[in-house]
Amino acid sequence: MSHKSKSTRRSSRTRQAEVRRRAKAARRARRVAARRHRTERSRRRWRWDVNGLLTLAGAVFLLALGFWMARDAYLLQHRGEVVEATVLDVSSGRNARLDVRYTTKAGQTIEDSTSNFDEDAVGGTVDVVYDPAEPTRMQAADWGFDYVLPGLLGVAGVTALAAAGNQFYRRGRHLA
């Protein structure tokens, strides 16, 4: 009977040793996983690459264009003056333009063109709104002042800016 108790003790000791070995292996696996995670995190640096730079340049261009268009609309809306202009030429098609000649309230005669207009005939008159500080900033008065296109350009620019940042961040993670 004492022989059985010795074998039971041994198997108990063997089981305890096995539990300790498994616990030690689990701790080692956690350390290795933590080290691997730290290594992967250290690779996730901000890195410059061509695609990211092109996306960033596109984002800056879209934001600048949207800002410029919104600024022009704002300035014409808030300090613009309305005068009559003579229609010199109407070009239709994909890039429709209206060429006009008008005289500012300061007496300066300006010939310019705008893509913001409703249908008009050559030789007729149309009201234009111009900026007294920069008389060549003008558009047809019947067009209206909208911020839809500048807003869309701004949204596209911010989206491209986020995409560029994502490209810079992700590039570093995948490089060895």
Side-chain angles (χ1 to χ4, degrees), residues 19 71 80 98 101 119 128 135 146 150 176:
V19 167
R71 181 180 159 266
L98 179 69
R101 179 185 310 130
E119 292 300 317
V128 296
D146 62 358

Side-chain angles (χ1 to χ4, degrees), residues 2-151:
S2 70
H3 182 63
K4 281 187 177 182
S5 69
K6 281 186 178 179
S7 75
T8 310
R9 277 190 198 152
R10 279 189 208 147
S11 66
S12 171
R13 286 181 191 158
T14 307
R15 273 185 267 151
Q16 289 173 355
E18 183 63 29
V19 167
R20 282 192 301 272
R21 275 193 298 269
R22 286 183 184 169
K24 187 175 180 181
R27 285 191 304 268
R28 187 179 323 119
R30 280 194 300 269
R31 280 194 313 269
V32 168
R35 190 178 316 123
R36 186 177 301 132
H37 178 71
R38 281 192 306 271
T39 304
E40 287 175 5
R41 253 181 70 199
S42 69
R43 287 183 193 155
R44 249 185 276 167
R45 293 188 202 125
W46 291 90
R47 295 187 191 256
W48 298 101
D49 68 327
V50 175
N51 291 335
L53 289 174
L54 290 175
T55 307
L56 181 63
V60 169
F61 174 75
L62 288 173
L63 288 171
L65 184 63
F67 175 77
W68 175 70
M69 291 176 71
R71 181 180 159 266
D72 278 354
Y74 178 83
L75 290 175
L76 286 175
Q77 183 178 13
H78 288 284
R79 67 180 188 200
E81 294 183 8
V82 179
V83 294
E84 269 195 5
T86 305
V87 178
L88 302 175
D89 187 30
V90 177
S91 61
S92 59
R94 188 171 183 197
N95 296 322
R97 306 220 33 100
L98 179 69
D99 295 332
V100 296
R101 179 185 310 130
Y102 59 95
T103 304
T104 66
K105 292 187 178 179
Q108 184 181 9
T109 301
I110 306 284
E111 284 189 24
D112 204 355
S113 62
T114 182
S115 59
N116 296 342
F117 67 96
D118 288 333
E119 292 300 317
D120 293 303
V122 176
T125 61
V126 62
D127 287 337
V128 296
V129 59
Y130 73 96
D131 183 5
E134 189 178 331
T136 56
R137 180 183 295 136
M138 57 77 76
Q139 74 176 31
D142 59 358
W143 181 256
F145 307 103
D146 62 358
Y147 296 97
V148 174
L149 185 58

Side-chain angles (χ1 to χ4, degrees), residues 151-164:
L152 290 175
L153 288 172
V155 168
V158 168
T159 303
L161 195 61

